[in-house]
Amino acid sequence: RQYQTNLTKSAKQLYTARGKLTTERNFDSYAANPAGATRAFKIYSSLNATNAQASNNQTLINKFSTAYSALDGAIDKIAQEMGDVPELGGLDDTHKSDRASYAQILNEGADAIVQMLNGKYSNDYIFNGTDTDNAPFEIVTDAVSGKRLLTFRGWKVDVPKNGDEYIDPKTGQPVADPDNAGQNLTNAQVYQKLQDMSKETLWVDIGMGFQVENGQVVENTAYNSALSGLDIMDFGLDEE
């Protein structure tokens, strides 16, 4: 019996030694080494967090690089190089006969800019703030005036900041106010909507110590990765 007991112990020790050698693990369960398991879990947790932060950083770098390339093409190459000449030429009465072709060039340039600002990184739209599943911009034909209008998430970008009723460009009809039954949205309310959308945040942990207080992210512990096309294209109407 003693021999069998010693043999069993030796076999168990051999099995344990083989397990450590092949798996490079000092224990197989938390109960086998609570102190060591606790340290290991902390290390794995830190390693996973570091890997996630590194992945977030790389994703941000790639996203902003793609965004920069799109803006370089839309602003520098199309808006300035392609747009300045026909725009200035169209103001000169000596080029009246060329204004139709100038308009065509400008319209094509506008379409190209919108296409670039509706660009994606991976499967996400870059310039739509927190709504990365849908294209932000669209050029539509106004149902009332017949003019081409730029919209952001369906809202007119060139909306004045006044108390007049807002008219939907696609339907030509007022839009009901969801917060006030029986009332319609005003231009000022839509302008505020655009302003709110331009300030959306999409927080990412990049290794600064992500913290949340009262359900809100502490801003200096995270990075806002949201990009809004409204910050680039602007919105509303100026004095003219």
Side-chain angles (χ1 to χ4, degrees), residues 168-238:
D168 185 271
K170 291 186 177 180
T171 64
Q173 301 296 322
V175 179
D177 186 349
D179 298 326
N180 295 291
Q183 296 186 17
N184 296 325
L185 289 174
T186 64
N187 288 330
Q189 288 175 299
V190 174
Y191 181 91
Q192 184 61 49
K193 285 180 178 291
L194 295 174
Q195 196 168 47
D196 292 340
M197 287 187 288
S198 71
K199 298 178 180 178
E200 289 178 341
T201 56
L202 191 62
W203 299 112
V204 175
D205 182 8
I206 58 174
M208 300 173 63
F210 198 81
Q211 296 180 16
V212 177
E213 292 183 359
N214 300 322
Q216 300 294 326
V217 174
V218 179
E219 294 187 7
N220 60 357
T221 67
Y223 187 83
N224 180 21
S225 67
L227 290 172
S228 175
L230 290 176
D231 287 336
I232 302 160
M233 300 299 290
D234 209 351
F235 55 95
L237 293 176
D238 58 20

Side-chain angles (χ1 to χ4, degrees), residues 34-47:
T38 300
R39 291 193 300 270
F41 288 150
K42 288 182 179 180
I43 292 174
Y44 277 115
S45 177
S46 298
L47 180 61

Side-chain angles (χ1 to χ4, degrees), residues 58-74 113-137 152-153 197-198 200-202 204 223-233:
Q58 189 60 51
T59 299
L60 279 178
I61 291 172
N62 294 339
K63 175 182 178 180
F64 276 80
S65 295
T66 305
Y68 177 82
S69 298
L71 293 180
D72 181 58
I113 290 175
V114 168
Q115 185 177 1
M116 288 185 175
L117 292 179
N118 284 342
K120 289 182 175 182
Y121 170 69
S122 186
N123 293 320
D124 297 333
Y125 287 95
I126 300 175
F127 298 105
N128 201 13
T130 57
D131 183 6
T132 58
D133 295 328
N134 301 291
F137 289 104
F152 182 84
R153 297 185 188 172
M197 287 187 288
S198 71
E200 289 178 341
T201 56
L202 191 62
V204 175
Y223 187 83
N224 180 21
S225 67
L227 290 172
S228 175
L230 290 176
D231 287 336
I232 302 160
M233 300 299 290

Side-chain angles (χ1 to χ4, degrees), residues 20-81:
K20 290 181 179 181
L21 181 63
T22 56
T23 64
E24 298 183 357
R25 297 173 61 179
N26 290 324
F27 51 88
D28 294 323
S29 66
Y30 188 87
N33 188 343
T38 300
R39 291 193 300 270
F41 288 150
K42 288 182 179 180
I43 292 174
Y44 277 115
S45 177
S46 298
L47 180 61
N48 290 334
T50 301
N51 288 334
Q53 291 159 0
S55 176
N56 290 341
N57 288 334
Q58 189 60 51
T59 299
L60 279 178
I61 291 172
N62 294 339
K63 175 182 178 180
F64 276 80
S65 295
T66 305
Y68 177 82
S69 298
L71 293 180
D72 181 58
I75 304 302
D76 294 340
K77 293 181 174 59
I78 297 180
Q80 295 179 1
E81 297 177 9

